[in-house]
Amino acid sequence: MRDIISSLDFSKEDFLTIFSLADEVEKGKKLKLQEEKVVATAFFEPSTRTHLSFTTAALKLGAKTIGFSSTEGISEAKGENFADTIRMLENYSDCIIIRHKFDGAAKFASEISNKPIINAGDGKHEHPTQTLIDIYTVYKSFGSPDNLTYGILGDLKYARTVNSLLRGLTRFKPRFVYLISPEPLKARKEILSELNYPYKEIDSPSEVISEIDVLYVTRIQKERFPDEMEYEKVKESYTVDENLVNQMKKDSIILHPLPRVNEIDRRIDSKPQAKYFYQASLGVPIRMSLLYKILSGEW
Ligand code: CP
């Protein structure tokens, strides 16, 4: 009966347990639930990867799925409140995967539901299962997330994947983390105050790009800006292009939680460093492993 609200809900041992199980799944292990289970996907906000990879993961485990991918088809459109919607999903399912535009929505749901809640992204707060995928991709590429130099580039203020990644990395030992963003998109102070590894905030990747092992890029989260004029000022303020990638180490990697807009030039997709589509493919074995642990009662 474990909720997953933040990447801090995973200990280092939890991360390594999920990575090890996902590795076995990738090598062909048949992971099946012994009892019939129903997984509810409650997506109040749009999603391609998270929704579909969680659904695929549940089906592969032998679970049934119910859910929705917008509020148009549910009774919220008739005025039903969020708490009552969660109570209904609690009645019908064994686990609720929730995405919502409001920070704290998953935590609030966990206070209402006696069934496990998995946060699939709440506002600008967190997206912890994306962090499992992100750090697993690093683990697969380098053997360990430790002793590497990370560059986190983009919208560090509103990107929930960045908050979760920065918190998740506190469970490991990064050599150094460069936080690279224009001034209006700098990481929030409350996140920085939690970091237990060396980091530096800089404006541009150009001076440090040759040191970086893992370049993690995010899009500018247009939908989170309270003022569209503020978005207009920063849009297109950074792009990962051939010139930048040509300065990277040969064995470095570029990650992106996706969706991408224009912050990575399409021509980078064929470079050996481009691992973002591979990263997205790892969503299924990682989410199978997590759902298995939760639905089997091991967690
Ligand atoms: N990475 C991610 O959360 O993608 P979706 O918004 O498509 O789920």
Side-chain angles (χ1 to χ4, degrees):
M1 289 298 298
R2 182 168 170 176
D3 301 311
I4 306 296
I5 307 300
S6 162
S7 59
L8 292 176
D9 292 331
F10 302 121
S11 64
K12 179 174 182 176
E13 193 187 343
D14 292 337
F15 274 104
L16 297 180
T17 298
I18 294 294
F19 295 170
S20 168
L21 193 53
D23 240 348
E24 290 181 52
V25 170
E26 282 191 273
K27 288 178 183 146
K29 182 183 174 85
K30 297 278 175 257
L31 209 52
K32 288 282 177 197
L33 293 162
Q34 298 302 310
E35 292 173 36
E36 189 167 285
K37 298 285 180 183
V38 175
V39 171
T41 57
F43 279 66
F44 295 83
E45 259 200 339
S47 167
T48 299
R49 278 146 293 274
T50 312
H51 195 178
L52 298 181
S53 63
F54 259 123
T55 303
T56 305
L59 294 173
K60 284 189 170 219
L61 290 174
K64 306 271 193 304
T65 62
I66 57 169
F68 52 87
S69 54
S70 82
T71 53
E72 281 166 27
I74 60 168
S75 289
E76 188 180 282
K78 294 184 275 185
E80 185 164 45
N81 66 34
F82 176 75
D84 288 353
T85 306
I86 296 301
R87 285 185 186 102
M88 296 310 109
L89 296 173
E90 181 195 14
N91 287 339
Y92 309 143
S93 70
D94 298 290
C95 169
I96 305 169
I97 298 161
I98 179 166
R99 170 169 290 191
H100 202 282
K101 68 178 175 183
F102 289 139
D103 298 26
K107 176 74 182 152
F108 180 50
S110 74
E111 287 161 8
I112 296 163
S113 169
N114 285 315
K115 302 285 174 56
I117 298 288
I118 299 179
N119 181 4
D122 61 328
K124 61 186 182 329
H125 176 228
E126 284 231 29
H127 191 350
T129 65
Q130 181 65 48
T131 298
L132 287 177
I133 298 164
D134 299 341
I135 300 183
Y136 183 54
T137 314
V138 175
Y139 168 88
K140 298 279 286 183
S141 303
F142 293 97
S144 165
D146 295 336
N147 299 316
L148 297 170
T149 299
Y150 294 76
I152 318 279
L153 169 64
D155 182 349
L156 312 187
K157 183 173 183 180
Y158 295 118
R160 56 198 175 199
T161 61
V162 169
N163 291 342
S164 288
L165 178 60
L166 292 176
R167 286 180 167 137
L169 285 174
T170 65
R171 301 302 193 216
F172 296 94
K173 299 224 171 309
R175 185 190 303 129
F176 203 86
V177 177
Y178 288 107
L179 300 171
I180 313 164
S181 68
E183 187 61 37
L185 299 179
K186 295 244 175 278
R188 298 201 301 278
K189 295 284 176 261
E190 71 264 24
I191 303 291
L192 298 181
S193 69
E194 295 175 19
L195 307 186
N196 61 358
Y197 44 75
Y199 71 88
K200 185 177 180 188
E201 295 180 276
I202 57 175
D203 298 333
S204 154
S206 52
E207 283 175 24
V208 299
I209 194 67
S210 60
E211 288 176 46
I212 286 172
D213 299 300
V214 180
L215 181 65
Y216 188 92
V217 187
T218 64
R219 80 184 161 91
I220 298 186
Q221 312 284 303
K222 182 180 181 187
E223 67 277 24
R224 309 271 174 241
F225 280 68
D227 180 343
E228 193 164 344
M229 288 302 292
E230 293 305 309
Y231 168 73
E232 290 295 324
K233 282 185 205 161
V234 290
K235 74 173 190 188
E236 297 172 12
S237 53
Y238 56 92
T239 309
V240 175
D241 57 16
E242 279 194 297
N243 179 40
L244 191 73
V245 175
N246 288 341
Q247 298 171 61
M248 294 181 73
K249 294 182 196 176
K250 289 282 170 278
D251 64 350
S252 60
I253 62 172
I254 303 169
L255 303 183
H256 191 310
L258 305 176
R260 158 182 62 180
V261 183
N262 52 15
E263 60 282 353
I264 299 181
D265 189 313
R266 301 300 188 264
R267 281 168 290 196
I268 304 307
D269 296 358
S270 57
K271 299 274 186 192
Q273 289 97 337
K275 297 291 183 202
Y276 29 91
F277 295 123
Y278 169 62
Q279 174 190 5
S281 77
L282 297 176
V284 172
I286 281 287
R287 290 182 167 125
M288 280 179 75
S289 304
L290 179 67
L291 282 177
Y292 182 82
K293 285 284 176 194
I294 290 174
L295 291 170
S296 68
E298 285 185 29
W299 275 11

